[in-house]
Amino acid sequence: MRSRAEVRRVRLHEWAEIRDLRMAAVSDPDASLAFLTTLEQERERDDAAWRDRAAGAALGEDAAQFVAVDGDAWVGSVSVLLRTSGDRDHLGRAVDAPRADVVGVFIVPAARGAGLLDRLIDAAGAWAAENGADALTLDVHRDNARARAVYRRIGFVPTGVEFTSAIGPEIEMRKPLGRTR
């Protein structure tokens, strides 16, 4: 069954909702292979840090966060970070060519399987394409077969790049975007 949740970019004043959804994400045992931070690390952030994160996600020119909101409940999120040659990515790796990295992917368990990830990735991809990206890239833990299968279903393919991060062995995946210009 397709979700009727609204998919949109976060708004500046929604820092508490961003915080609460992140806490849910890093607390979810099924998502433990996906996040580079722990619940304890996220709890250490003060309100000012969450306000800064909201500002960047809502207004940033090189980052955007998209959420799925069903009534009053936040049920999913995807962030996309634009990288230019010479940058360092979220793992500290050198960026050789411009790219748009998808990070922070989370759908609450009760909303999984309803098409929200497709819609969130579409929103992130449209924003990235509007800002000059020709593809989305993401990293997925090698042992997270469920996530790898879902990403393949929505058009991501392994690039052949494999590496070890703080969460273990990861695989880079890429999804080409249609150009909007």
Side-chain angles (χ1 to χ4, degrees):
M1 174 185 241
R2 188 150 170 88
S3 172
R4 294 192 180 128
E6 174 190 15
V7 172
R8 60 170 174 78
R9 191 169 181 181
V10 296
R11 298 175 183 138
L12 183 61
H13 68 279
E14 295 174 324
W15 66 271
E17 291 88 345
I18 291 169
R19 178 200 60 210
D20 294 349
L21 190 60
R22 180 67 177 198
M23 297 293 183
V26 298
S27 299
D28 182 340
D30 290 333
S32 65
L33 288 178
F35 291 94
L36 299 173
T37 59
T38 65
L39 178 60
E40 294 75 28
Q41 289 169 317
E42 296 296 354
R43 283 184 176 153
E44 289 175 4
R45 297 181 198 277
D46 63 13
D47 290 351
W50 291 106
R51 285 184 180 98
D52 287 346
R53 180 177 275 190
L59 305 172
E61 294 179 7
D62 60 355
Q65 181 177 2
F66 296 88
V67 292
V69 182
D70 190 357
D72 291 334
W74 282 39
V75 296
S77 177
V78 166
S79 293
V80 62
L81 309 171
L82 299 179
R83 312 286 191 192
T84 59
S85 295
D87 285 351
R88 294 266 173 204
D89 71 9
H90 54 287
L91 298 173
R93 298 176 297 174
V95 174
D96 296 331
R99 69 178 199 233
D101 291 339
V102 173
V103 298
V105 177
F106 180 67
I107 307 292
V108 299
R112 292 177 184 156
L116 285 178
L117 182 58
D118 305 57
R119 294 173 54 210
L120 286 163
I121 292 292
D122 286 348
W127 180 83
E130 287 171 10
N131 286 281
D134 65 355
L136 295 174
T137 58
L138 57 78
D139 304 325
V140 61
H141 194 283
R142 184 183 65 204
D143 297 338
N144 195 340
R146 185 184 70 183
R148 285 193 344 262
V150 170
Y151 293 138
R152 278 185 188 269
R153 181 186 58 76
I154 60 176
F156 285 88
V157 296
T159 65
V161 174
E162 296 188 22
F163 60 94
T164 301
S165 76
I167 61 172
E170 295 200 65
I171 298 167
E172 182 183 88
M173 299 181 83
R174 184 176 192 275
K175 176 183 175 150
L177 298 173
R179 299 296 276 181
T180 58
R181 293 184 201 178

